[in-house]
Amino acid sequence: MTNADFNWKVGGAQGEGIDSTGEIFALTLHRMGYYVYTYRHFMSLIKGGHTNYKVRISPVQRRHRGDGLDLLVAFDQGSIDFSLPEMSPGSAIIYDSTSFEGRIPEGRNITLIPIPLTQMARDLGMVIMKNMVAIGASAALVGLPQDAFEGYLEERFGKKGDAVVETNRKVLAAGYNYALEHTDWRKPLPGLPEASKGKKRLFMHGNDAVALGAVVAGCRVVAAYPITPATEILYSVLKLLPKYGGVVLQAEDEIAACQMAIGANYAGVRAMTSTSGPGLSLMSESLGLSGASETPLVIVDVMRAGPSTGMPTKTEQADAFHAIYSAHGEIQRIVLAPSTVEDAFYDMQRAFNLADKYQVPVIVLVDLVLGLSKQTVDLEDIDFERIAIDRGKLLTTKDEVDAVVARLGHYKRYELTEDGISARALPGLEDAVHMVLSYEHDEEGNEMEERGMRVKQTRKRFNKMRSLNMDEWALRRTGPQNPDLLLVGWGSTEGQLEEAREQLTAGGLKVAHLQVGALYPLPAAAIRKEIEAAGKVLVFENNYEGQLLELIKQKVGHYDKVQASLKFDGDPFYVSEVVAMVKEVA
Amino acid sequence: MAVNLVTEYKEHAQSSTWCPGCGDFAVVAAMQKALAALELPPHQVVAVTGIGCSGKFNYYLGANGFNSLHGRSLPVAQAIKIANRDLTVIAAGGDGDGYGIGIGHFLHAVRRNVDITYVVMDNHIYGLTTGQTSPTSKKGFVTKTTPYGAAEYPIRPLELALAGGAGFVAQGFSGDPKQLAEIMKQAVQHKGFSLINVYSPCVTFNHEETYEWWRQNLVNLDQEQGYDATDRTAAFRYVYEHNGLLRGVIFREERRDYQSELPGYAAEALVRQDLSQPVKDRAELLAAFM
Amino acid sequence: MWLNASPPGAAVPPGAVSPKDAARGAASPGTTPVEPVTWMTEAVRGSAGGRGDRPRLSADSARRLARACWSELTNHDPNVFPVQAERRGVRFYLQEERGGQRLSALVWDGFQWRTVGSLRLPASD
């Protein structure tokens, strides 16, 4: 099945426009009706260093970058060297023969196609158009018509005038014709079902989905500090929020950003902050404030490889413990972990609703690959009808306050209630003047250290989560019941695990796959059922410690049959790696 | 009206734990008077504090209060104002909270210019932790943590605010609550960020800078003929020449506040916006991702 | 010797409120209302001038001193904060609080002013 897909990649030095070249290619194929999945390899540099952009092109939806590589466009030898391990037998490399002579090890079944990309661009327009020559050449060799990129050229350069569009068209055509004339290598793209042709779908990454999900869920203030790989969330909300009067604020640091999100939530506006691990570290004290003062808060942590500065542009799933345990003292919180773009969209609604309902901090963990990999998503899978805003016990009118006053004599922000949740009055309402604080307090919000009330307020803060049951929704499962082998994952690993399951099943194994969508509270009862019904259980994670495995041991139970399969080199799993890890134990 | 409102504030206030004679009492009382004079009832006001003796400001003010963490009053206060522009938002802190741990937020709040009032009760010492040096302690000041005298030069908040582009910079003195209330009234009315640094003596731990000392050393700008509070350069020079020992409105200037610069920021408070609108705009929103 | 007692406020004169209770806003527990000057006289006497190393004041001198302080407190410029009087290492503050006033006595212990007692007074005027 994988063979039906086509994997294309462009690589070069950072600052050469590699990303935009990749995106032009991906977006055009996406609009033609293919499902594309893109993967960016980059470094935290502006210029220099190797970067590449891979596009997996498939007639069906894919959730990861794919194992092989069919056609590589290389602007330097480094790009060839970097991607050689991925190159499939019978694949080809277009390289810029103006700048270097491409080399590959002997014995590899790979066709080298020299094209003077830079020279041709210089002759016809400008050097920076070498990317367009490469796109033209690629289009020719994969069987695309020469005018396939026409629409994109109009859209991208139309504003700059017809002359610019025309030049780009000429450059692209030159690359197209040169390739046809100078090589016999061809590999056509997979066929496209009639129903898919030109079908309108979405092209977005997890960070886009977080932004869209937040806005649709009613978020109106986003305060954040730029950080790789979460900054794209800011870019996306900037496109969406002003229309609704919303505010996107670049704070002076992550501490301020998180405190601002808390302040806006206290004032009654749904607000969030987006960050990565280093930012979440700075937000620890704010987590405590949100928890102890019972002020809703939503934090999105797009996880990069740590610790400390780590590898800012590489993926990892190592912030689970950080999200679950950071902040001193004891507070309640909720930690969600979307696996797909669609999950990220719906999880934002879930996050805001849960934060409002339980008056706790909610952390959404998105791994870098999910956050940054743009991909095709079906329109009907981003269903706004499923969005329901639930603000919980929020008093927004004088009448609602009056009802409380009639019951209690006066408004009590931290009333001890049966379900542990106290009504939260918006500041600004008459007869509901109150203090919000993280100092231990009585029901009225007076600071105090009286032992009895301390115990009651602590119990209240913890009890309020009793009604929250993650078992009902936080797991996705495929495969047969009572499997010999259960693959468990969280975050962006879903695509690889699912394809591995299909391969292993085809190979005769009885394999099931369980994807976990919430880490705290862990859907422990549901996971226990799955583990008990399975022969062996392998937990796949991009971290060293096996954090989900440890959570399972802690909350579900210690089982000898459960073990972790870990990868923490900053690179996502390949399907072949998952399969190999399974074969070691199966 | 005004007197009744003061009473209303007092009714909402919690009982004080400040030392008898603490300058902060005068700051709270002056704020109650100022807010009452502006006919702002307690429910329309939010006071945000951090940690320290000054962190109790909102417990004793009697308006809505949010007690944040050490040094973190300003980010919370700015966000509250952004979320609900109809609220009057006051942030309060001390010299440790505002000029030590929170100084980053202070400078950024100055330049961001959200329409809030920041009151700093500056006593040149850490009181709640019983007498350590503060960022505004003078060089050589002997405290529990500087037994040989403070080695650092003090922070100069007025000059910092002026340099940061603040549109309203004032200094008050707890010993003159009447002037302080008047300054506060003007600060709350000022559209944009306003700073009031208040010399608010710590009667328990600071025995050098006492009420008497301040009274003798502070120059009252209300009595300085020819002082022009609209000239930033002159203000800077005056503050520098007087080593900060001034009281009164030091500088004021009309500037567009942060919210006026925001595209799409509605006249109607953000907290009252219709949250369901985006659901109706599905096609348009999704078009951004095609 | 109650003013010099360690810890401070271990003993309080009748009608006075310990600093802890004062902090909680507790009303005076005394059954008999205490006249401020009498209370202040006790405070001055007990302080022995503040450091404990000075001779005790006679009852008459203490009363004179207390009266002078009380006069200073009650004739205070309303626009000046705080309402304060200080003699021989004893300091008095008169402050408004909800529903009345509080008279506090403090002594200098060599490092800081310690509150040794406070008296809640009904609203003055």
Side-chain angles (χ1 to χ4, degrees), chain B residues 10-11 13-16 20-23 25-26 144 174-178 203-205 207 211 215, chain C residues 22-25 78-82 84 86 91 93 95-96 98 104 106 108 111-115:
Chain B
K10 285 184 177 168
E11 277 165 4
Q14 299 179 14
S15 306
S16 175
C22 176
F25 280 109
K144 282 184 185 171
S174 291
D176 186 350
K178 199 174 168 190
V203 290
T204 303
F205 294 108
H207 309 298
Y211 285 100
R215 229 180 285 278
Chain C
R24 294 200 194 104
N79 290 325
V80 172
F81 183 87
Q84 173 187 337
E86 186 182 329
R91 184 182 274 182
Y93 287 110
Q95 267 176 231
E96 271 189 46
R98 205 187 311 179
S104 307
L106 297 87
W108 177 248
F111 174 72
Q112 67 177 81
W113 288 97
R114 298 227 179 248
T115 307

Side-chain angles (χ1 to χ4, degrees), chain A residues 297-340:
Chain A
L297 169 66
V298 173
I299 300 175
V300 178
D301 170 13
V302 188
M303 294 176 288
R304 63 194 223 182
S308 195
T309 304
M311 298 194 288
T313 60
K314 300 295 173 289
T315 199
E316 202 163 82
Q317 300 177 310
D319 289 354
F321 290 167
H322 185 25
I324 293 169
Y325 299 119
S326 64
H328 62 276
E330 296 165 308
I331 57 158
Q332 273 294 20
R333 72 187 83 197
I334 294 167
V335 180
L336 306 179
S339 288
T340 64

Side-chain angles (χ1 to χ4, degrees), chain A residues 210-229:
Chain A
V210 163
L212 181 66
V215 172
V216 176
C219 174
R220 291 295 177 270
V221 170
V222 179
Y225 186 80
I227 186 167
T228 303

Side-chain angles (χ1 to χ4, degrees), chain B residues 1-12 31-45 61-63:
Chain B
M1 176 74 182
V3 174
N4 289 343
L5 272 180
V6 170
T7 311
E8 215 180 296
Y9 277 99
K10 285 184 177 168
E11 277 165 4
H12 287 298
M31 185 54 84
Q32 288 171 336
K33 270 185 202 131
L35 294 169
L38 295 170
E39 303 199 346
L40 292 164
H43 72 271
Q44 288 176 12
V45 176
L61 179 68

Side-chain angles (χ1 to χ4, degrees), chain A residues 126-146:
Chain A
M126 283 184 292
V127 173
I128 53 162
M129 290 179 177
K130 64 183 180 184
N131 299 318
M132 220 42 99
V133 184
I135 285 176
S138 300
L141 302 185
V142 304
L144 285 171
Q146 200 182 318

Side-chain angles (χ1 to χ4, degrees), chain C residues 56-73:
Chain C
R56 269 173 84 96
L57 288 175
S58 70
D60 276 357
S61 334
R63 187 155 189 92
R64 264 198 306 280
L65 203 150
R67 204 175 279 134
C69 283
W70 179 246
S71 161
E72 205 175 303
L73 294 175

Side-chain angles (χ1 to χ4, degrees), chain A residues 160-288:
Chain A
K160 295 181 178 174
D162 292 345
V164 179
V165 178
E166 187 50 38
T167 311
N168 273 284
R169 191 182 286 137
K170 261 189 352 213
V171 172
L172 196 144
Y176 193 93
N177 293 323
Y178 187 98
L180 287 184
E181 285 162 22
H182 290 81
T183 178
D184 293 331
W185 189 89
R186 301 284 185 278
K187 185 172 183 199
L189 293 177
L192 202 52
E194 209 50 45
S196 275
K197 283 182 182 162
K199 186 158 187 217
K200 277 208 157 129
R201 296 196 185 102
L202 301 165
F203 182 58
M204 64 199 307
H205 48 41
N207 283 351
D208 284 333
V210 163
L212 181 66
V215 172
V216 176
C219 174
R220 291 295 177 270
V221 170
V222 179
Y225 186 80
I227 186 167
T228 303
T231 313
E232 287 74 10
I233 294 172
L234 275 182
Y235 300 154
S236 289
V237 283
L238 271 167
K239 281 194 274 187
L240 307 169
L241 261 188
K243 180 177 157 61
Y244 304 107
V247 177
V248 183
L249 193 154
Q250 181 177 325
E252 55 269 29
D253 53 40
E254 285 92 345
I255 296 173
C258 198
Q259 292 275 321
M260 284 174 174
I262 290 174
N265 272 303
Y266 155 75
V269 168
R270 284 191 160 181
M272 63 174 253
T273 183
S274 53
T275 189
S276 188
L280 189 62
S281 292
L282 289 175
M283 294 174 186
S284 290
E285 60 168 22
S286 303
L287 276 175

